[in-house]
Amino acid sequence: MTILVTGGAGFIGSNFVLEWFKDAATSDEAVVNLDALTYAGNAENLSALSGDARHIFVRGDICERALLDHLLSEHRPRAIVHFAAESHVDRSIHGPGVFIKTNVEGTFTLLEAARDYWNTLGGDDKAKFRFHHVSTDEVYGSLKPADPPFAETHPYEPNSPYSASKAASDHLVRAWHHTYDLPVVTTNCSNNYGPYHFPEKLIPLMIVNALAGKPLPVYGDGQQIRDWLYVTDHCSAIRAVLARGRLGETYNVGGWNEKANIDIARTICVLLDELRPDAAGSYTRLITYVKDRPGHDRRYAIDARKIERELGWRPAETFETGIRKTVAWYLEHSDWVGRVQSGAYREWLAKNYEIRQ
Ligand code: NAD
Ligand code: TYD
Protein backbone atom coordinates (compact mmCIF):
# COMPACT_ATOMS: atom_id res chain seq x y z
CA MET A 1 0.00 0.00 0.00
CA THR A 2 1.01 3.60 -0.59
CA ILE A 3 0.03 7.05 0.62
CA LEU A 4 0.53 10.35 -1.19
CA VAL A 5 1.88 13.16 1.01
CA THR A 6 1.94 16.76 -0.23
CA GLY A 7 4.42 19.21 1.26
CA GLY A 8 6.51 16.43 2.76
CA ALA A 9 9.77 18.38 2.52
CA GLY A 10 8.53 21.17 4.80
CA PHE A 11 8.76 21.35 8.57
CA ILE A 12 5.80 19.18 9.63
CA GLY A 13 5.62 17.14 6.42
CA SER A 14 9.22 15.96 6.65
CA ASN A 15 8.77 15.05 10.33
CA PHE A 16 5.60 13.18 9.34
CA VAL A 17 7.37 11.16 6.64
CA LEU A 18 10.29 10.31 8.95
CA GLU A 19 7.91 9.30 11.76
CA TRP A 20 5.77 7.24 9.34
CA PHE A 21 8.70 4.93 8.70
CA LYS A 22 9.53 4.71 12.42
CA ASP A 23 6.03 3.58 13.46
CA ALA A 24 5.69 -0.20 13.27
CA ALA A 25 2.03 0.18 12.24
CA THR A 26 2.90 2.16 9.09
CA SER A 27 6.58 1.57 8.36
CA ASP A 28 5.98 -0.96 5.55
CA GLU A 29 3.85 1.42 3.57
CA ALA A 30 5.44 3.53 0.82
CA VAL A 31 5.14 7.32 0.70
CA VAL A 32 4.97 9.30 -2.53
CA ASN A 33 6.10 12.75 -1.43
CA LEU A 34 5.01 15.62 -3.70
CA ASP A 35 6.65 18.93 -2.85
CA ALA A 36 7.39 22.02 -4.94
CA LEU A 37 10.50 22.79 -2.85
CA THR A 38 9.63 26.44 -2.30
CA TYR A 39 11.87 28.42 0.06
CA ALA A 40 10.27 26.42 2.90
CA GLY A 41 10.87 22.98 1.40
CA ASN A 42 14.17 21.25 2.01
CA ALA A 43 14.99 17.84 0.54
CA GLU A 44 17.89 17.63 3.01
CA ASN A 45 15.36 17.05 5.81
CA LEU A 46 14.75 13.63 4.20
CA SER A 47 18.37 12.67 3.59
CA ALA A 48 18.03 9.77 6.08
CA LEU A 49 15.70 8.18 3.48
CA SER A 50 18.02 8.44 0.49
CA GLY A 51 18.17 5.07 -1.28
CA ASP A 52 15.10 3.87 0.65
CA ALA A 53 12.66 2.38 -1.88
CA ARG A 54 9.69 3.14 0.40
CA HIS A 55 10.14 6.90 -0.18
CA ILE A 56 9.44 8.31 -3.65
CA PHE A 57 10.14 12.02 -3.83
CA VAL A 58 8.55 14.04 -6.65
CA ARG A 59 9.30 17.72 -7.10
CA GLY A 60 6.11 19.37 -8.32
CA ASP A 61 3.26 21.76 -7.66
CA ILE A 62 -0.18 20.80 -6.27
CA CYS A 63 -1.69 23.33 -8.69
CA GLU A 64 -0.64 21.15 -11.66
CA ARG A 65 -3.63 18.93 -12.35
CA ALA A 66 -1.92 16.76 -14.99
CA LEU A 67 0.89 15.89 -12.59
CA LEU A 68 -1.60 14.99 -9.83
CA ASP A 69 -3.58 12.75 -12.21
CA HIS A 70 -0.40 11.04 -13.31
CA LEU A 71 0.82 10.40 -9.74
CA LEU A 72 -2.56 9.09 -8.59
CA SER A 73 -3.01 6.69 -11.50
CA GLU A 74 0.59 5.50 -11.34
CA HIS A 75 0.87 4.94 -7.56
CA ARG A 76 -2.79 4.30 -6.66
CA PRO A 77 -2.50 5.57 -3.06
CA ARG A 78 -5.01 4.49 -0.44
CA ALA A 79 -4.81 7.97 1.15
CA ILE A 80 -3.66 11.54 0.56
CA VAL A 81 -2.23 13.53 3.47
CA HIS A 82 -2.23 17.17 2.44
CA PHE A 83 0.35 19.42 4.13
CA ALA A 84 1.48 21.55 1.17
CA ALA A 85 0.79 25.21 1.89
CA GLU A 86 2.27 28.63 2.32
CA SER A 87 2.44 28.76 6.09
CA HIS A 88 3.95 31.99 7.44
CA VAL A 89 1.58 34.75 8.62
CA ASP A 90 4.14 37.56 8.18
CA ARG A 91 4.83 36.50 4.59
CA SER A 92 1.07 36.43 3.94
CA ILE A 93 0.90 40.07 5.05
CA HIS A 94 3.71 41.08 2.68
CA GLY A 95 2.41 39.01 -0.26
CA PRO A 96 -0.98 37.28 0.02
CA GLY A 97 -1.25 36.19 -3.64
CA VAL A 98 0.78 33.00 -3.37
CA PHE A 99 -1.26 31.98 -0.29
CA ILE A 100 -4.46 32.10 -2.34
CA LYS A 101 -2.75 30.25 -5.17
CA THR A 102 -1.34 27.33 -3.17
CA ASN A 103 -3.66 27.10 -0.18
CA VAL A 104 -6.97 27.71 -1.98
CA GLU A 105 -6.42 26.88 -5.65
CA GLY A 106 -3.91 24.13 -4.84
CA THR A 107 -6.29 22.45 -2.39
CA PHE A 108 -9.13 22.77 -4.92
CA THR A 109 -6.99 21.17 -7.64
CA LEU A 110 -5.95 18.36 -5.32
CA LEU A 111 -9.55 17.74 -4.25
CA GLU A 112 -10.69 17.52 -7.86
CA ALA A 113 -7.88 15.13 -8.77
CA ALA A 114 -8.63 13.05 -5.66
CA ARG A 115 -12.35 12.96 -6.50
CA ASP A 116 -11.76 11.71 -10.05
CA TYR A 117 -9.25 9.13 -8.81
CA TRP A 118 -11.54 7.98 -5.98
CA ASN A 119 -14.36 7.50 -8.49
CA THR A 120 -12.19 5.01 -10.38
CA LEU A 121 -11.83 2.87 -7.24
CA GLY A 122 -14.19 0.06 -6.40
CA GLY A 123 -15.35 -1.91 -3.36
CA ASP A 124 -13.05 -1.88 -0.38
CA ASP A 125 -10.48 0.44 -2.00
CA LYS A 126 -13.16 3.07 -2.50
CA ALA A 127 -14.61 2.63 0.98
CA LYS A 128 -11.23 2.84 2.72
CA PHE A 129 -9.76 5.78 0.76
CA ARG A 130 -9.03 8.92 2.84
CA PHE A 131 -8.24 12.55 2.02
CA HIS A 132 -6.62 13.98 5.17
CA HIS A 133 -6.48 17.78 5.19
CA VAL A 134 -3.92 19.27 7.57
CA SER A 135 -5.08 22.64 8.87
CA THR A 136 -4.53 25.12 11.65
CA ASP A 137 -6.23 26.56 14.73
CA GLU A 138 -5.72 30.04 13.23
CA VAL A 139 -8.93 29.61 11.19
CA TYR A 140 -10.90 30.19 14.42
CA GLY A 141 -9.54 33.71 14.97
CA SER A 142 -8.40 35.18 18.26
CA LEU A 143 -9.48 34.36 21.85
CA LYS A 144 -9.94 36.79 24.73
CA PRO A 145 -8.07 35.94 27.97
CA ALA A 146 -11.03 34.27 29.70
CA ASP A 147 -12.52 32.53 26.63
CA PRO A 148 -12.60 28.73 26.60
CA PRO A 149 -10.16 27.13 24.13
CA PHE A 150 -11.23 26.45 20.53
CA ALA A 151 -13.54 23.44 20.19
CA GLU A 152 -14.33 22.01 16.75
CA THR A 153 -17.66 23.86 16.86
CA HIS A 154 -16.04 27.30 17.24
CA PRO A 155 -17.05 29.68 14.40
CA TYR A 156 -14.51 30.39 11.70
CA GLU A 157 -13.14 33.93 12.16
CA PRO A 158 -9.81 34.05 10.30
CA ASN A 159 -7.91 37.34 10.62
CA SER A 160 -4.78 37.08 8.47
CA PRO A 161 -4.40 36.34 4.76
CA TYR A 162 -2.78 33.04 5.82
CA SER A 163 -5.60 31.97 8.12
CA ALA A 164 -8.26 33.15 5.64
CA SER A 165 -6.65 31.02 2.91
CA LYS A 166 -6.52 27.99 5.23
CA ALA A 167 -10.15 28.58 6.27
CA ALA A 168 -11.11 28.66 2.59
CA SER A 169 -9.32 25.36 2.03
CA ASP A 170 -11.10 23.81 5.04
CA HIS A 171 -14.44 24.89 3.57
CA LEU A 172 -13.59 23.33 0.20
CA VAL A 173 -12.67 20.05 1.89
CA ARG A 174 -15.91 20.09 3.86
CA ALA A 175 -17.95 20.81 0.71
CA TRP A 176 -16.28 18.03 -1.30
CA HIS A 177 -17.36 15.61 1.41
CA HIS A 178 -20.88 16.98 1.74
CA THR A 179 -21.54 17.26 -2.00
CA TYR A 180 -19.48 14.48 -3.56
CA ASP A 181 -19.08 12.10 -0.56
CA LEU A 182 -15.30 12.33 -0.87
CA PRO A 183 -14.06 10.56 2.30
CA VAL A 184 -12.25 13.40 4.09
CA VAL A 185 -10.93 14.05 7.57
CA THR A 186 -9.49 17.39 8.75
CA THR A 187 -7.17 18.21 11.63
CA ASN A 188 -6.83 21.76 12.99
CA CYS A 189 -3.64 21.95 14.99
CA SER A 190 -2.03 24.58 17.19
CA ASN A 191 1.52 25.97 16.74
CA ASN A 192 4.14 23.27 16.23
CA TYR A 193 7.83 23.38 17.13
CA GLY A 194 10.72 20.94 16.88
CA PRO A 195 13.43 19.74 14.46
CA TYR A 196 13.57 21.09 10.88
CA HIS A 197 11.51 24.17 11.76
CA PHE A 198 12.45 26.90 9.29
CA PRO A 199 14.04 29.77 11.27
CA GLU A 200 11.58 32.43 10.13
CA LYS A 201 9.11 31.18 12.78
CA LEU A 202 9.31 32.30 16.41
CA ILE A 203 11.03 29.40 18.19
CA PRO A 204 13.78 28.54 15.70
CA LEU A 205 14.34 32.24 14.95
CA MET A 206 14.95 32.92 18.66
CA ILE A 207 17.39 30.01 18.90
CA VAL A 208 19.45 30.82 15.80
CA ASN A 209 19.49 34.58 16.49
CA ALA A 210 20.61 34.03 20.09
CA LEU A 211 23.45 31.76 18.98
CA ALA A 212 24.51 34.43 16.49
CA GLY A 213 24.38 37.16 19.18
CA LYS A 214 21.58 38.93 17.27
CA PRO A 215 18.48 40.65 18.75
CA LEU A 216 15.53 38.41 19.66
CA PRO A 217 12.61 40.36 18.13
CA VAL A 218 9.45 40.18 20.25
CA TYR A 219 6.45 41.72 18.46
CA GLY A 220 4.38 44.30 20.37
CA ASP A 221 4.12 43.65 24.11
CA GLY A 222 5.06 39.95 23.82
CA GLN A 223 1.88 38.91 25.65
CA GLN A 224 0.31 37.10 22.69
CA ILE A 225 -0.41 33.49 23.55
CA ARG A 226 0.07 30.38 21.41
CA ASP A 227 -0.63 26.73 22.37
CA TRP A 228 2.59 24.88 21.52
CA LEU A 229 2.76 21.25 20.38
CA TYR A 230 5.92 19.26 19.72
CA VAL A 231 5.88 18.30 16.05
CA THR A 232 6.07 14.52 16.49
CA ASP A 233 2.93 14.71 18.62
CA HIS A 234 1.16 16.39 15.70
CA CYS A 235 2.41 13.57 13.46
CA SER A 236 1.04 10.88 15.80
CA ALA A 237 -2.31 12.72 15.92
CA ILE A 238 -2.50 12.72 12.12
CA ARG A 239 -1.73 8.99 12.00
CA ALA A 240 -4.49 8.36 14.56
CA VAL A 241 -7.08 10.43 12.65
CA LEU A 242 -6.06 8.90 9.33
CA ALA A 243 -6.45 5.40 10.78
CA ARG A 244 -9.52 5.80 12.96
CA GLY A 245 -11.06 9.28 12.51
CA ARG A 246 -14.72 9.48 11.57
CA LEU A 247 -15.43 10.51 7.98
CA GLY A 248 -16.21 14.17 7.42
CA GLU A 249 -15.15 15.07 10.96
CA THR A 250 -12.64 17.66 12.09
CA TYR A 251 -10.34 17.04 15.05
CA ASN A 252 -8.58 19.82 16.94
CA VAL A 253 -5.03 18.94 17.97
CA GLY A 254 -3.13 20.80 20.68
CA GLY A 255 -0.64 20.41 23.47
CA TRP A 256 -2.45 22.06 26.40
CA ASN A 257 0.58 24.38 26.50
CA GLU A 258 -0.49 28.00 26.38
CA LYS A 259 2.53 30.31 26.58
CA ALA A 260 3.06 34.02 26.01
CA ASN A 261 5.69 34.85 23.38
CA ILE A 262 7.88 36.71 25.86
CA ASP A 263 7.95 33.59 28.07
CA ILE A 264 8.97 31.48 25.07
CA ALA A 265 11.85 33.89 24.40
CA ARG A 266 12.97 33.78 28.05
CA THR A 267 12.70 29.97 28.25
CA ILE A 268 14.92 29.59 25.19
CA CYS A 269 17.47 32.00 26.68
CA VAL A 270 17.56 30.10 29.97
CA LEU A 271 18.08 26.77 28.16
CA LEU A 272 20.85 28.24 26.03
CA ASP A 273 22.48 29.75 29.14
CA GLU A 274 22.65 26.18 30.48
CA LEU A 275 23.58 24.32 27.28
CA ARG A 276 25.78 26.88 25.46
CA PRO A 277 26.74 29.60 27.98
CA ASP A 278 27.90 32.87 26.43
CA ALA A 279 30.81 34.80 27.97
CA ALA A 280 28.94 38.06 27.24
CA GLY A 281 26.22 37.10 29.79
CA SER A 282 22.68 35.69 29.69
CA TYR A 283 21.05 35.53 26.27
CA THR A 284 18.10 37.42 27.78
CA ARG A 285 20.13 40.59 27.11
CA LEU A 286 19.26 40.11 23.42
CA ILE A 287 15.46 40.25 23.88
CA THR A 288 14.22 43.30 21.95
CA TYR A 289 10.65 44.54 21.64
CA VAL A 290 9.84 45.54 18.05
CA LYS A 291 6.87 46.95 16.13
CA ASP A 292 3.86 44.63 16.24
CA ARG A 293 2.45 42.51 13.42
CA PRO A 294 -0.63 44.16 11.81
CA GLY A 295 -3.83 42.41 12.93
CA HIS A 296 -1.86 40.26 15.37
CA ASP A 297 -4.08 37.57 16.95
CA ARG A 298 -3.89 37.79 20.73
CA ARG A 299 -4.48 34.23 21.84
CA TYR A 300 -4.91 30.74 20.40
CA ALA A 301 -5.72 27.71 22.54
CA ILE A 302 -7.01 24.28 21.56
CA ASP A 303 -9.56 22.11 23.27
CA ALA A 304 -8.15 18.70 22.32
CA ARG A 305 -10.73 16.60 24.18
CA LYS A 306 -12.51 15.24 21.11
CA ILE A 307 -9.43 13.52 19.65
CA GLU A 308 -8.59 12.15 23.09
CA ARG A 309 -12.12 10.89 23.75
CA GLU A 310 -12.68 9.32 20.33
CA LEU A 311 -9.20 8.18 19.36
CA GLY A 312 -7.28 8.02 22.64
CA TRP A 313 -4.66 10.50 21.39
CA ARG A 314 -2.68 12.61 23.84
CA PRO A 315 0.64 14.40 23.36
CA ALA A 316 3.69 12.48 24.54
CA GLU A 317 5.82 15.58 25.17
CA THR A 318 5.32 18.36 27.70
CA PHE A 319 6.52 21.82 26.71
CA GLU A 320 9.50 21.40 29.02
CA THR A 321 10.68 18.15 27.39
CA GLY A 322 9.88 19.31 23.87
CA ILE A 323 11.61 22.69 24.05
CA ARG A 324 14.73 21.12 25.58
CA LYS A 325 14.89 18.58 22.72
CA THR A 326 14.36 21.37 20.21
CA VAL A 327 17.11 23.62 21.53
CA ALA A 328 19.47 20.61 21.68
CA TRP A 329 18.57 19.71 18.05
CA TYR A 330 19.47 23.20 16.82
CA LEU A 331 22.75 23.09 18.77
CA GLU A 332 23.59 19.76 17.11
CA HIS A 333 22.53 20.83 13.61
CA SER A 334 24.37 24.07 13.02
CA ASP A 335 25.26 22.82 9.51
CA TRP A 336 21.56 22.48 8.63
CA VAL A 337 20.91 25.96 10.01
CA GLY A 338 23.83 27.41 8.04
CA ARG A 339 22.56 25.91 4.80
CA VAL A 340 18.97 27.16 5.15
CA GLN A 341 20.18 30.70 5.87
CA SER A 342 20.60 31.38 2.17
CA GLY A 343 20.49 34.71 0.36
CA ALA A 344 16.70 34.41 0.13
CA TYR A 345 16.48 33.93 3.90
CA ARG A 346 18.59 37.03 4.51
CA GLU A 347 16.39 39.04 2.13
CA TRP A 348 13.33 37.96 4.13
CA LEU A 349 14.91 39.06 7.42
CA ALA A 350 15.68 42.45 5.92
CA LYS A 351 12.12 42.82 4.60
CA ASN A 352 10.35 41.72 7.80
CA TYR A 353 12.54 43.26 10.50
CA GLU A 354 13.93 46.51 9.08
CA ILE A 355 10.41 48.00 9.04
CA ARG A 356 9.99 47.10 12.72
CA GLN A 357 12.93 49.11 14.04
P1 NAD B 1 6.19 24.70 5.74
O1 NAD B 1 6.03 26.09 5.19
O2 NAD B 1 7.38 24.39 6.58
O3 NAD B 1 6.18 23.64 4.55
C1 NAD B 1 5.29 23.71 3.48
C2 NAD B 1 5.78 22.75 2.40
O4 NAD B 1 4.86 22.80 1.31
C3 NAD B 1 7.15 23.09 1.85
O5 NAD B 1 7.94 21.93 1.77
C4 NAD B 1 6.86 23.67 0.48
O6 NAD B 1 7.90 23.43 -0.47
C5 NAD B 1 5.59 22.91 0.11
N1 NAD B 1 4.77 23.64 -0.87
C6 NAD B 1 4.41 24.94 -0.82
N2 NAD B 1 3.68 25.25 -1.91
C7 NAD B 1 3.55 24.12 -2.63
C8 NAD B 1 2.87 23.79 -3.82
N3 NAD B 1 2.18 24.73 -4.52
N4 NAD B 1 2.93 22.52 -4.29
C9 NAD B 1 3.63 21.57 -3.60
N5 NAD B 1 4.29 21.83 -2.47
C10 NAD B 1 4.24 23.08 -1.98
O7 NAD B 1 4.84 24.42 6.51
P2 NAD B 1 4.59 23.55 7.83
O8 NAD B 1 4.82 24.40 9.02
O9 NAD B 1 5.29 22.26 7.69
O10 NAD B 1 3.02 23.33 7.70
C11 NAD B 1 2.49 22.20 6.97
C12 NAD B 1 0.98 22.24 7.02
O11 NAD B 1 0.54 22.23 8.37
C13 NAD B 1 0.39 23.53 6.40
O12 NAD B 1 -0.78 23.16 5.69
C14 NAD B 1 0.06 24.38 7.60
O13 NAD B 1 -1.03 25.24 7.32
C15 NAD B 1 -0.30 23.34 8.63
N6 NAD B 1 -0.07 23.72 10.03
C16 NAD B 1 1.13 24.24 10.43
C17 NAD B 1 1.33 24.55 11.78
C18 NAD B 1 2.65 25.07 12.27
O14 NAD B 1 2.76 25.43 13.45
N7 NAD B 1 3.70 25.12 11.46
C19 NAD B 1 0.30 24.35 12.70
C20 NAD B 1 -0.93 23.82 12.25
C21 NAD B 1 -1.10 23.50 10.91
P1 TYD C 1 4.90 32.40 14.24
O1 TYD C 1 5.97 31.43 14.60
O2 TYD C 1 5.08 33.25 13.02
O3 TYD C 1 3.53 31.60 14.19
P2 TYD C 1 1.98 32.16 14.09
O4 TYD C 1 1.99 33.59 13.77
O5 TYD C 1 1.47 31.33 12.96
O6 TYD C 1 1.37 31.85 15.42
O7 TYD C 1 4.71 33.39 15.46
C1 TYD C 1 4.36 32.90 16.74
C2 TYD C 1 4.13 34.10 17.63
O8 TYD C 1 5.38 34.78 17.79
C3 TYD C 1 3.17 35.11 17.03
O9 TYD C 1 2.39 35.66 18.09
C4 TYD C 1 4.08 36.17 16.44
C5 TYD C 1 5.28 36.15 17.37
N1 TYD C 1 6.59 36.50 16.76
C6 TYD C 1 7.41 37.41 17.38
O10 TYD C 1 7.07 37.99 18.44
N2 TYD C 1 8.61 37.70 16.81
C7 TYD C 1 9.02 37.13 15.64
O11 TYD C 1 10.13 37.46 15.14
C8 TYD C 1 8.17 36.15 15.03
C9 TYD C 1 8.57 35.47 13.75
C10 TYD C 1 6.95 35.86 15.63
Side-chain angles (χ1 to χ4, degrees):
M1 287 202 294
T2 300
I3 62 164
L4 172 67
V5 167
T6 70
F11 162 47
I12 305 172
S14 59
N15 276 284
F16 179 81
V17 173
L18 294 169
E19 292 292 302
W20 184 261
F21 294 126
K22 283 187 199 157
D23 184 335
T26 52
S27 62
D28 289 341
E29 191 169 3
V31 173
V32 178
N33 185 350
L34 172 64
D35 194 296
L37 294 181
T38 67
Y39 80 92
N42 187 351
E44 187 189 340
N45 299 0
L46 301 155
S47 58
L49 299 172
S50 81
D52 189 326
R54 296 171 303 173
H55 180 235
I56 301 150
F57 184 79
V58 179
R59 183 174 189 176
D61 194 320
I62 56 164
C63 298
E64 276 181 43
R65 177 63 195 268
L67 172 64
L68 298 176
D69 289 343
H70 169 74
L71 290 176
L72 290 168
S73 66
E74 186 185 349
H75 297 286
R76 308 199 66 73
R78 58 119 184 149
I80 296 173
V81 185
H82 176 35
F83 293 94
E86 289 292 332
S87 69
H88 188 32
V89 173
D90 292 314
R91 284 189 189 252
S92 81
I93 295 168
H94 286 279
V98 69
F99 286 71
I100 304 305
K101 177 86 185 160
T102 286
N103 300 1
V104 185
E105 192 182 324
T107 301
F108 161 72
T109 309
L110 188 63
L111 281 166
E112 280 292 80
R115 180 163 77 94
D116 278 358
Y117 165 68
W118 177 67
N119 278 324
T120 69
L121 301 176
D124 226 26
D125 289 345
K126 188 165 191 179
K128 288 188 173 156
F129 182 80
R130 293 289 180 274
F131 184 105
H132 186 132
H133 180 54
V134 179
S135 194
T136 167
D137 60 356
E138 306 196 20
V139 298
Y140 297 123
S142 185
L143 291 169
K144 297 204 166 50
D147 286 347
F150 299 127
E152 288 79 0
T153 49
H154 194 282
Y156 271 46
E157 290 170 345
N159 290 319
S160 72
Y162 164 65
S163 55
S165 69
K166 290 297 292 188
S169 70
D170 293 9
H171 291 325
L172 292 175
V173 171
R174 177 191 156 88
W176 261 239
H177 174 66
H178 193 80
T179 304
Y180 304 115
D181 289 331
L182 188 71
V184 307
V185 281
T186 296
T187 42
N188 292 86
C189 189
S190 60
N191 286 61
N192 285 212
Y193 67 102
Y196 305 112
H197 205 180
F198 193 72
E200 65 182 358
K201 305 277 175 73
L202 178 73
I203 287 182
L205 183 93
M206 294 285 154
I207 300 170
V208 306
N209 275 19
L211 291 172
K214 291 187 182 158
L216 308 181
V218 172
Y219 295 169
D221 64 3
Q223 293 302 328
Q224 302 82 7
I225 289 170
R226 299 292 182 263
D227 179 353
W228 294 94
L229 182 70
Y230 192 67
V231 62
T232 55
D233 280 326
H234 187 187
C235 296
S236 71
I238 293 169
R239 292 198 304 279
V241 172
L242 183 62
R244 307 188 301 282
R246 285 188 293 133
L247 281 191
E249 290 290 316
T250 64
Y251 293 88
N252 284 356
V253 183
W256 304 102
N257 277 311
E258 287 186 57
K259 306 274 179 205
N261 293 337
I262 184 64
D263 295 329
I264 296 286
R266 289 199 186 111
T267 300
I268 289 168
C269 291
V270 169
L271 275 169
L272 286 172
D273 287 342
E274 177 195 327
L275 299 171
R276 183 67 59 84
D278 183 354
S282 172
Y283 291 96
T284 51
R285 73 186 191 283
L286 299 170
I287 292 175
T288 309
Y289 289 93
V290 298
K291 192 161 177 275
D292 207 353
R293 171 188 281 174
H296 198 171
D297 283 340
R298 201 69 186 161
R299 174 176 167 236
Y300 304 142
I302 281 280
D303 177 344
R305 286 179 297 179
K306 177 177 173 183
I307 187 172
E308 179 172 6
R309 190 174 62 243
E310 291 191 13
L311 307 178
W313 177 88
R314 266 193 79 81
E317 302 289 343
T318 63
F319 186 71
E320 288 64 35
T321 60
I323 193 70
R324 183 173 279 276
K325 283 186 185 179
T326 304
V327 171
W329 189 89
Y330 280 87
L331 287 173
E332 285 157 18
H333 292 81
S334 52
D335 289 355
W336 182 91
V337 171
R339 282 192 287 275
V340 300
Q341 290 175 317
S342 64
Y345 177 72
R346 288 195 292 276
E347 278 165 32
W348 164 251
L349 292 186
K351 192 178 196 178
N352 193 42
Y353 293 98
E354 273 168 15
I355 52 162
R356 296 182 191 280
Q357 282 163 11

